[in-house]
């Protein structure tokens, strides 16, 4: 237990070192714009310090991973907390590799926050070490999950570079129809990122406050004459704007004058956790809109236009190349881990190579998407803006596969999303 406590402390240290590195990357960038002497030398100096900070964070992150593995007696990738923690570590590994190749300081300003957000998202889930269920007691767990996460981490770097390319090249001053459309979609990407941040912040705020409301849901199963009544409880950690379908309040902690949910989940959401998940989505959207509105009031312009000056002087072709190379590295790794080795493990664990489980289907969708990306890039000459949009959309598909499928859609992989 002491080793696991030490491991958790290493996770926290790594998180704060990444936060410090992000600030230092920002200092390097801002200094380049404001320095009157030698802007490039300033950015190189502070960029090097920032990279040193991120590398130190990665070392502590690796210590967390190894000590949790030893303390838990199995590789820590078996639930959402462990997998997202591992994924965030692999994103930093991918960033380190790409940074050492291209030496682009600005990449840290976009890649490191991805790690920070994923780590914060991981901390939302229960952190206790759980015994492996029978289907996970295999060495294929190490091979399949680690390679899949490694591939996805390079996709994350491709996303970061692609998004930077769009901010660099979209004309935010133009009033033309095509430019206005691109501006709106860049803003949608910013808002999507803010939604994730808002969800994490909201969960932490109410969890720290100790908020909890409990509902009971009764349902009848079986055929006439042999029916069974099942009563299940569901605990809300966020104030229930929406309650479970056909449920009763066991305990309700009032919030802003609400003494009961404003409405219950519809009948097609007839599941003990469906209402809670729907409630979480509503809270994420509400807080996301509030945070987005606050940011817009602060900068007094769309976020894409506000971020655009940060890209001045950055070679767009370099960003395009980084995005492509990162995805090109990640694709074969993802192919091995998420598809080939996954199918071998499925045959061993469940006796079938492919079962059309939702997670399998979305992993295949991810693979097909990035296959199309590489085909269009290499055979059709889709470079620049077209390639960047595909890199951004592709990673959004990856995140839905990791988050949406795990937490919303039931299937053989549902164990990964149990809270």
């Amino acid at each position: 237990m002491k080793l696991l406590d030490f491991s958790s402390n290493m996770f926290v240290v790594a998180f704060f070192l990444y936060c410090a590195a992000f600030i230092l990357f920002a200092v390097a960038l801002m200094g380049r714009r404001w320095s009157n002497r030698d802007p490039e030398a300033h950015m190189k100096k502070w960029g090097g310090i920032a990279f040193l900070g991120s590398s130190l964070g990665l070392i502590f992150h690796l210590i967390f991973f190894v000590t949790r593995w030893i303390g838990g007696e199995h590789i820590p990738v078996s639930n959402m907390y462990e997998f997202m923690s591992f994924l965030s570590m692999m994103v930093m590994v991918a960033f380190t590799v790409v940074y050492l190749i291209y030496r682009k300081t600005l990449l840290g300003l976009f890649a490191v926050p991805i790690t920070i957000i994923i780590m914060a998202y991981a901390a939302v889930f229960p952190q206790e070490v759980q015994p492996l269920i029978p289907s996970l007691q295999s060495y294929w767990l190490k091979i399949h999950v680690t390679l899949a996460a490694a591939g996805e981490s390079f996709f994350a770097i491709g996303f970061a570079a692609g998004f930077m390319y769009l901010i660099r090249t979209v004309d935010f001053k133009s009033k033309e129809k095509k430019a206005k459309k691109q501006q709106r979609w860049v803003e949608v990407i910013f808002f999507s990122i803010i939604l994730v941040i808002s969800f994490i912040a909201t969960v932490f705020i109410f969890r720290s406050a100790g908020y909890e409301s409990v509902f009971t849901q009764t349902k009848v199963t079986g055929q006439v004459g042999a029916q069974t009544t099942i009563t299940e409880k569901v605990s809300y950690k966020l104030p229930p704007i929406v309650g479970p379908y056909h449920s009763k309040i066991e305990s309700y902690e009032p919030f802003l004058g609400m003494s009961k949910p404003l409405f219950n989940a519809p009948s097609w959401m007839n599941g003990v956790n469906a209402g809670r998940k729907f409630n979480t989505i509503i809270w994420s959207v509400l807080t996301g809109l509030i945070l987005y509105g606050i940011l817009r009031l602060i900068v007094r312009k769309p976020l894409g236009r506000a971020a655009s000056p940060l890209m001045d002087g950055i070679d767009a072709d370099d960003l395009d190349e980084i995005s492509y190379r990162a995805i090109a590295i990640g694709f074969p790794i993802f192919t091995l881990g998420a598809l080939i080795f996954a199918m071998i493990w499925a045959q061993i664990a469940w006796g079938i190579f492919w079962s059309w489980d939702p997670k399998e289907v979305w992993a295949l969708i991810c693979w097909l998407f990035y296959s199309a990306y590489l085909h269009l890039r290499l055979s059709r000459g889709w470079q620049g803006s077209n390639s960047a949009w595909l890199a951004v959309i592709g990673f959004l598909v990856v995140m839905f596969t990791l988050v949406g499928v795990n937490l919303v859609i039931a299937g053989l992989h549902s164990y990964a999303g149990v809270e």
Side-chain angles (χ1 to χ4, degrees), residues 147-192:
L147 286 179
E152 290 160 353
S153 68
F154 280 97
F155 293 160
I157 302 303
F159 161 82
F163 191 32
M164 290 164 60
Y165 179 93
L166 294 175
I167 298 173
R168 173 69 178 83
T169 58
V170 170
D171 187 355
F172 290 95
K173 297 180 181 179
S174 175
K175 301 296 182 180
E176 295 182 3
K177 185 176 180 180
K178 181 179 179 181
K180 294 288 288 183
K181 182 179 180 181
Q182 291 179 329
Q183 294 167 22
R184 285 194 296 270
W185 280 111
V186 168
E187 209 66 13
V188 168
I189 297 168
F190 270 113
F191 181 67
S192 299

Side-chain angles (χ1 to χ4, degrees), residues 33 38 70 83 119 147 165 207 236 243 256 274 284 292 308 417:
R33 299 185 63 202
D38 191 345
I70 296 172
F83 178 79
M119 289 181 76
L147 286 179
Y165 179 93
R207 178 182 291 176
Y236 278 53
L256 295 180
S284 299
Y292 176 77
S308 181

Side-chain angles (χ1 to χ4, degrees), residues 260-318:
K260 62 179 182 179
L262 298 181
F263 61 96
N264 287 337
S267 58
W268 54 271
M269 288 187 177
N270 186 9
V272 68
N273 288 312
R276 177 176 58 80
K277 294 174 180 178
F278 186 33
N279 187 68
T280 300
I281 293 173
I282 293 175
W283 267 105
S284 299
V285 172
L286 289 176
T287 54
L289 288 170
I290 293 171
L291 180 57
Y292 176 77
I294 292 173
L295 291 174
R296 284 292 301 268
L297 287 174
I298 293 173
V299 301
R300 297 185 178 181
K301 63 182 70 173
L303 300 185
R305 185 184 300 176
S308 181
L310 299 176
M311 303 293 126
D312 291 344
I314 302 299
D315 190 335
D317 290 337
D318 284 348

Side-chain angles (χ1 to χ4, degrees), residues 318-350:
D318 284 348
L319 295 175
D320 181 54
E321 177 71 9
I322 292 171
S323 180
Y324 162 65
R325 292 297 179 187
I327 292 174
I329 293 171
F331 181 75
I333 300 173
F334 181 82
T335 301
L336 287 172
L339 288 182
I340 297 176
F341 292 150
M343 289 189 291
I344 294 173
W345 187 17
Q347 172 64 30
I348 295 172
W350 299 313

Side-chain angles (χ1 to χ4, degrees), residues 368-401:
L368 291 173
F369 187 95
Y370 281 105
S371 296
Y373 167 90
L374 292 172
H375 170 72
L376 292 170
R377 172 96 189 191
L378 298 174
S379 300
R380 300 297 180 90
W382 276 38
Q383 298 182 354
S385 180
N386 290 334
S387 179
W389 280 114
L390 289 177
V392 169
I393 295 171
F395 189 65
L396 295 180
V397 175
V398 169
M399 291 310 297
F400 179 79
T401 303

Side-chain angles (χ1 to χ4, degrees), residues 23-142:
I23 294 173
L24 290 170
F25 276 118
V27 169
L29 181 64
M30 298 302 177
R32 186 201 64 175
R33 299 185 63 202
W34 297 337
S35 177
N36 295 323
R37 295 182 179 179
D38 191 345
E40 293 303 321
H42 181 281
M43 185 170 71
K44 184 176 180 181
K45 173 186 174 182
W46 285 97
I49 297 173
F51 179 70
L52 182 62
S54 68
S55 300
L56 189 60
L58 178 58
I59 291 173
F60 279 94
H61 208 154
L62 287 166
I63 294 173
F64 154 78
F65 179 74
V66 172
T67 51
R68 187 174 177 92
W69 189 341
I70 296 172
E73 299 180 348
H74 60 77
I75 188 170
V77 292
S78 61
N79 55 40
M80 280 298 286
Y81 168 72
E82 293 178 344
F83 178 79
M84 299 307 288
S85 300
F86 178 74
L87 176 62
S88 62
M89 183 179 74
M90 293 308 300
V91 170
M92 284 308 302
V93 171
F95 163 70
T96 301
V97 171
V98 174
Y99 180 89
L100 291 174
I101 295 173
Y102 291 97
R103 300 286 179 176
K104 294 297 180 182
T105 299
L106 187 62
L107 185 62
L109 192 66
F110 285 78
V112 174
I114 295 176
T115 293
I116 294 171
I117 291 172
I118 294 175
M119 289 181 76
Y121 178 69
V124 168
F125 297 93
Q127 302 176 19
E128 297 80 10
V129 173
Q130 301 167 348
L132 292 179
I133 62 175
S135 62
L136 293 181
Q137 296 174 7
S138 169
Y139 62 87
W140 286 105
L141 172 67
K142 304 179 183 69

